[in-house]
Amino acid sequence: MRRRHTMTRLLVIAALGLPFILPGAPAVAAPTTPPRQLTDVVPAPVETRPDTRGTFRISPLTVILTAPGSLAAWQAGRQLAETLRPATGYPLPVLPVRSTPLPEIALVVGGADARIGPEGYQLDVTRRGVTIRANTAAGLFAGTQTLRQLLPAQIEAPDRQRVTWTVPGGRIVDYPRFAYRGAMLDVARHFHTVDEITAYVDLLSQYKINYLHLHLTDDQGWRIQIDSWPRLTTVGGGPGTGVDGVGPGFLTKADYKAVVAYAAARHITIVPEIDMPGHTNAAQSTYPELNCDGVAPAPRTDTAVGYSSLCINDDLTYRFVEDVIRELAEITPGPFLHIGGDEAHATTDEDYRTFMNRVLPLVAKYGKRASGWNEVAQADPPTDVVAQFWGTGTTNADLAEAAARGNKVVMSPASKSYLDMKYDANTRLGLRWAGYIEVSDAYGWDPATRVTGVGEDAILGVEAPLWSETLRTLDDIEYMAFPRLPAIAELGWSTAASHNWESFRTRLGEQAPRWRLQEVDFYPSPQVPWL
Ligand code: TNX
């Protein structure tokens, strides 16, 4: 877990231009990392062309040059400066015009390799400087994340003057395989605060994840303010909620907007999920009228699934659902709204279809594209609905049919990409119903060949869900997500042809010094040669 106040203090110091040691700071030896190569990046870049004559060295004179008049470049440049100033102690001014021929890190919109598309970038390193070219702000941001990994691991340096800030020479041309590279965080089973969510966002953005799906509601808690049904959060998110009654809390609309904005600044789009028609006990125990018999069930703090169902043939249910969707859509700038739909074992198949046929149009009515867990494919949804595969097997007839009709699929097979599964029998946290998932398991599959009849063309992307039945703190989140999250991120970004366990485990091991400095509580898997 990171101590943010430290970063803030260092930013202030960097802004004041004080180049050296903090008074009283302990003299810690600089972590020695071997010289990096252009290929030492996670996710693996599409194309790297090293040029050993081109090594660049960031110095106290280096400037960050952004294309004049480009807001995208200026934003990416400022973010890069804010990351590198405390690490280097150099002033690194962000300048919109080149004045004198100073060594520079230039951020340029346009003029790159034609393949890079909306999210890719081209990074050139010569002796005179670094140039990152992209078509969008997202592409420039992705390029700066690569640049960070090419630099020494260092976020704050008591003795940073001993670090040589070299960048290996050559060219990277890089762009994603899939448009959707997601992570999911369950804030219903145990609530996680804005600070915890944004800390996770920081980590996700370093690995080019571009969607964060928030599982906002479940049987054990309701975690998003809905003004027209206020007790959802005051009661359903109040004291005593969450697994074992120890995960209370909720996001106010202001909190949610803050998360959305924080993520957007890192080119991550929030996908909010309201799980229904099952996984709804928190709502139904708060509002008796949401039950067919008008009787509120007791709140639940256990981890059972599949027992709750909204009342399918009652119009009030759809007034409730519409209110929730409308209010959530209003505060969600991203395109997707996830309506859950998993494990509705207390809803008959016919009722499930009835429910989805009434609810999916409501999502569209408020301008959003619906996504749902793979069960949604059973309801023959319109083709713009995205189905999220979470099975442990390799066949799913409904999903294959939906894919054949044109529905897109997000791949998050539980036995590969579920970050809440234990690594092995000794893992203190997590569940094991989908099996143990070591790093090689999380990395060792191809999204485009996992499920019969769901090929590359049907796949929107991948996601790594993190359910929080057993997780309470940011440290817990980090321990389960690292190092498997970067494995899923690489499957989402890098080409199928580049897939290589030996290469991945080496590059992953090189991330460890960064995680230690960032105080990420990662699982030191024995499969990985940690630096
Ligand atoms: C299954 S996966 C669930 C969740 C649990 C998760 C625990 C899915 C769509 N539903 O309700 O939290 O397993 O791993």
Side-chain angles (χ1 to χ4, degrees), residues 280-531:
T280 47
N281 195 70
Q284 292 181 281
S285 66
T286 303
Y287 285 102
E289 59 269 44
L290 294 179
N291 299 274
C292 285
D293 60 4
V295 179
R300 295 277 293 255
T301 60
D302 60 304
T303 61
V305 295
Y307 56 83
S308 54
S309 176
L310 291 172
C311 188
I312 303 302
N313 296 303
D314 183 345
D315 284 340
L316 180 70
T317 294
Y318 301 95
R319 254 188 283 147
F320 165 73
V321 170
E322 182 161 357
D323 286 340
V324 171
I325 289 174
R326 185 188 62 249
E327 290 196 33
L328 192 55
E330 268 168 21
I331 53 175
T332 301
F336 295 110
L337 198 150
H338 199 300
I339 46 121
D342 59 313
E343 299 175 315
H345 307 318
T347 315
T348 66
D349 289 354
E350 192 194 337
D351 278 357
Y352 185 86
R353 273 190 292 276
T354 302
F355 181 83
M356 287 301 169
N357 288 333
R358 286 188 70 168
V359 169
L360 290 172
L362 293 176
V363 177
K365 176 175 173 184
Y366 293 101
K368 297 300 166 188
R369 182 172 177 188
S371 49
W373 298 104
N374 55 227
E375 287 93 325
V376 79
Q378 294 162 19
D380 300 335
T383 51
D384 70 327
V385 173
V386 174
Q388 182 171 359
F389 178 73
W390 65 278
T392 54
T394 57
T395 58
N396 182 315
D398 293 316
L399 191 65
E401 271 171 42
R405 283 193 301 269
N407 292 91
K408 294 290 184 217
V409 175
V410 168
M411 292 298 294
S412 57
S415 47
K416 300 288 181 188
S417 80
Y418 266 33
L419 302 178
D420 63 314
M421 291 301 122
K422 291 175 182 289
Y423 294 95
D424 64 23
N426 298 319
T427 311
R428 171 179 63 89
L429 301 165
L431 305 174
R432 44 171 283 188
W433 68 265
Y436 300 127
I437 304 182
E438 248 297 355
V439 186
S440 59
D441 304 308
Y443 185 72
W445 60 288
D446 179 2
T449 59
R450 180 69 188 166
V451 177
T452 309
V454 184
E456 182 101 17
D457 290 348
I459 291 176
L460 187 62
V462 297
E463 189 174 293
L466 185 47
W467 301 96
S468 68
E469 285 94 332
T470 64
L471 313 179
R472 293 177 58 180
T473 65
L474 180 58
D475 288 352
D476 293 348
I477 291 170
E478 289 171 350
Y479 189 78
M480 299 309 276
F482 287 83
R484 293 179 294 193
L485 184 278
I488 304 302
E490 176 148 321
L491 296 185
W493 180 280
S494 308
T495 61
S498 71
H499 192 95
N500 182 303
W501 166 245
E502 282 306 320
S503 158
F504 178 69
R505 66 196 278 270
T506 306
R507 288 178 288 111
L508 192 62
E510 291 164 358
Q511 300 294 306
R514 291 163 208 284
W515 297 343
R516 290 189 201 104
L517 284 163
Q518 294 177 40
E519 298 180 43
V520 175
D521 285 286
F522 67 99
Y523 160 65
S525 166
Q527 297 186 327
V528 177
W530 299 110
L531 270 195

